[in-house]
């Protein structure tokens, strides 16, 4: 037996989204059934379903920024009850036994984790994501959404929030640290809020000063234009930490020279092409260039609680299920501040085809 639910689905990269009926598995003893209230749009969704990264399994429903309410639980579920406010991020399964999983780092599962969509699940089926009315997920991969966070501003935290929170926390950003956020988009705007809430002096690095006002609203001390003549010399050796959120080619060496000795650049944006690096930019000043990919479930819960405690979520624009194709084009054009979120109640307005 399975659960039938409306979902936005594509049958190939070029076709528009359609509302279809898809089947979720009948809950296993350790499963939670979630009625989805809000689903964020991540640029990864776009890359995947447009098959820009290859290996998309069609027909496909994407979405890994999911917020909703528990509507049913399996017989062995102990963490959640019907009516609980919950969220699901980028993962829905892992081995649970390797050293990374035991350490709460399921994103690094040594046997291979299972993504929320476009992954092969343990039963051999392709996982289908959160642009839907409901989803069934193992309780280990469900987080509790604090009452202080509305569903729509909480949903993007399950990806954009944890993606930026994890490196900021790993490198112990604290009061007095001079932090630069490179790029003020879906990821960058969360990085600004999180670093500022930890007490850092936050600078946004952008090509222009166009977003300076909203950067200040988010908690940035200032915004600097990287295209200004002499920028890299003027600000050489200024920052303790740079969070690089952009998915475009940059002069890595020049940005590393903005760091103080022993400074860190953490990369969470993924450019489409390989980037050039001269090791001297690292050796000089004993600097660190590191990457980060989301975080484990335990840290994701920590991030949600942190955001609730400090009174912020994602800055969003809410859309209905019929507006996703247009929203994708706007994301690619950079025309959103800062995350689109699908109001899944609008599935009621559309018949499945």
């Amino acid at each position: 037996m399975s659960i039938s639910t409306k979902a936005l689905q594509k049958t190939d990269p070029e076709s528009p989204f359609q509302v279809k009926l898809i089947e979720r598995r009948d809950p296993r003893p350790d499963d939670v059934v979630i009625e989805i209230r809000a689903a964020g749009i991540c640029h990864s969704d776009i890359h995947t379903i447009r098959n820009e990264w290859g290996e998309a399994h069609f027909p496909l429903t994407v979405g890994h920024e999911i917020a909703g309410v528990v509507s049913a639980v399996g017989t062995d579920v102990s963490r959640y009850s019907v009516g609980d406010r919950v969220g699901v991020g980028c993962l829905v399964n892992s081995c649970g036994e390797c050293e990374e999983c035991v350490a709460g780092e399921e994103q690094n599962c040594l046997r291979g984790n299972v993504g929320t969509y476009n992954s092969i699940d343990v039963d051999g089926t392709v996982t289908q994501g959160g642009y839907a009315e409901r989803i069934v997920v193992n309780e280990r991969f469900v987080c509790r959404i604090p009452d202080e966070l509305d569903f729509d501003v909480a949903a993007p935290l399950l990806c954009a929030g944890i993606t930026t929170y994890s490196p900021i926390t790993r490198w112990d950003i604290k009061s007095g640290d001079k932090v630069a956020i490179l790029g003020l988009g879906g990821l960058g705007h969360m990085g600004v809020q999180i670093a500022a809430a930890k007490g850092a002096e936050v600078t946004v690095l952008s090509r222009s000063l166009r977003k300076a006002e909203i950067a200040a609203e988010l908690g940035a001390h200032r915004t600097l234009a990287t295209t200004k003549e002499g920028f890299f010399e003027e600000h050489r050796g200024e920052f303790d930490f740079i969070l690089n959120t952009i998915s475009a080619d940059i002069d890595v060496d020049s940005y590393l020279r903005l760091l103080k000795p022993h400074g860190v650049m953490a990369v969470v944006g993924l450019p489409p092409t390989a980037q050039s690096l001269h090791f001297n930019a690292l050796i000089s000043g004993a600097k660190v260039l590191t990457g980060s990919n989301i975080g484990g479930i335990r840290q994701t819960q920590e991030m949600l609680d942190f955001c609730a405690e400090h009174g912020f979520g994602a800055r969003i624009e809410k859309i209905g299920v019929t507006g996703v194709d247009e929203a994708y084009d706007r994301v690619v054009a950079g025309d959103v501040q800062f995350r689109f979120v699908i109001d899944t109640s609008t599935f009621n307005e559309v018949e499945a085809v």
Side-chain angles (χ1 to χ4, degrees):
M1 186 177 177
S2 60
I3 298 173
S4 183
T5 186
K6 286 182 182 178
L8 282 172
Q9 192 175 77
K10 278 184 175 242
T11 55
D12 61 75
E14 289 76 32
S15 297
F17 279 102
Q18 292 182 306
V19 176
K20 298 275 193 176
L21 286 177
I22 67 170
E23 299 301 314
R24 302 293 195 187
R25 66 173 180 264
D26 192 45
R28 300 165 183 157
D30 54 359
D31 276 342
V32 173
V33 182
I34 301 168
E35 298 290 329
I36 300 171
R37 299 290 176 82
I41 292 177
C42 176
H43 210 137
S44 298
D45 303 345
I46 301 174
H47 288 309
T48 299
I49 208 161
R50 290 183 173 179
N51 211 25
E52 294 167 351
W53 288 343
E55 299 185 359
H57 301 282
F58 293 99
L60 183 61
T61 295
V62 293
H64 57 207
E65 298 179 343
I66 302 165
V69 176
V70 175
S71 61
V73 296
T75 54
D76 293 344
V77 169
S78 60
R79 304 181 188 185
Y80 300 101
S81 301
V82 172
D84 285 348
R85 307 172 81 250
V86 295
V88 177
C90 302
L91 303 176
V92 292
N93 216 333
S94 71
C95 79
E97 299 173 350
C98 72
E99 60 184 293
E100 292 296 317
C101 287
V102 171
E105 301 286 336
E106 296 91 350
Q107 78 278 16
N108 300 325
C109 177
L110 299 177
R111 300 177 188 173
N113 53 49
V114 178
T116 305
Y117 61 77
N118 200 46
S119 285
I120 305 302
D121 209 344
V122 292
D123 60 2
T125 61
V126 176
T127 55
Q128 304 291 329
Y131 296 6
E133 289 183 305
R134 57 186 62 86
I135 193 168
V136 180
V137 182
N138 183 290
E139 71 167 332
R140 291 193 298 117
F141 292 86
V142 176
C143 292
R144 193 175 301 278
I145 294 179
D147 292 339
E148 295 86 350
L149 294 173
D150 291 338
F151 290 119
D152 51 5
V153 302
L157 301 182
L158 278 303
C159 177
I162 186 57
T163 296
T164 50
Y165 181 86
S166 187
I168 288 171
T169 302
R170 177 187 176 190
W171 294 100
D172 192 27
I173 299 307
K174 57 191 179 301
S175 180
D177 287 344
K178 295 185 182 298
V179 169
I181 307 295
L182 180 51
L184 192 66
L187 293 176
H189 95 285
M190 289 306 310
V192 170
Q193 294 181 93
I194 292 166
K198 286 184 174 286
E201 181 183 299
V202 180
T203 298
V204 170
L205 304 182
S206 187
R207 290 182 55 82
S208 74
L209 301 180
R210 181 171 58 91
K211 297 180 180 178
E213 184 176 345
I214 193 165
E217 291 177 15
L218 294 167
H221 177 71
R222 59 180 175 166
T223 298
L224 298 176
T226 59
T227 53
K228 179 184 175 182
E229 186 175 353
F231 169 82
F232 289 98
E233 283 304 314
E234 181 180 352
H235 298 284
R236 189 184 185 103
E238 191 165 314
F239 301 105
D240 298 293
F241 181 81
I242 297 174
L243 183 66
N244 178 4
T245 74
I246 64 173
S247 298
D249 297 338
I250 64 169
D251 183 346
V252 179
D253 295 353
S254 292
Y255 282 96
L256 286 171
R257 284 192 284 271
L258 298 177
L259 290 170
K260 298 177 183 180
H262 306 288
V264 176
M265 177 190 281
V267 180
V268 294
L270 185 61
T273 58
Q275 304 297 287
S276 175
L277 168 68
H278 293 282
F279 285 158
N280 182 59
L282 292 175
I283 293 171
S284 178
K287 296 165 187 173
V288 175
L289 176 63
T290 186
S292 186
N293 178 28
I294 59 172
I297 304 305
R298 184 168 58 212
Q299 190 178 57
T300 302
Q301 185 64 64
E302 178 185 303
M303 175 274 305
L304 288 166
D305 295 339
F306 178 88
C307 292
E309 178 186 350
H310 289 87
F312 67 85
R315 295 288 183 96
I316 68 160
E317 182 175 333
K318 192 182 294 188
I319 60 172
V321 296
T322 60
V324 175
D325 289 300
E326 179 186 355
Y328 270 26
D329 292 337
R330 287 181 56 192
V331 170
V332 172
D335 179 28
V336 58
Q337 289 189 352
F338 288 92
R339 220 49 166 196
F340 282 113
V341 173
I342 303 167
D343 176 1
T344 55
S345 71
T346 58
F347 273 111
N348 292 330
E349 302 168 7
V350 184
E351 293 293 327
V353 296

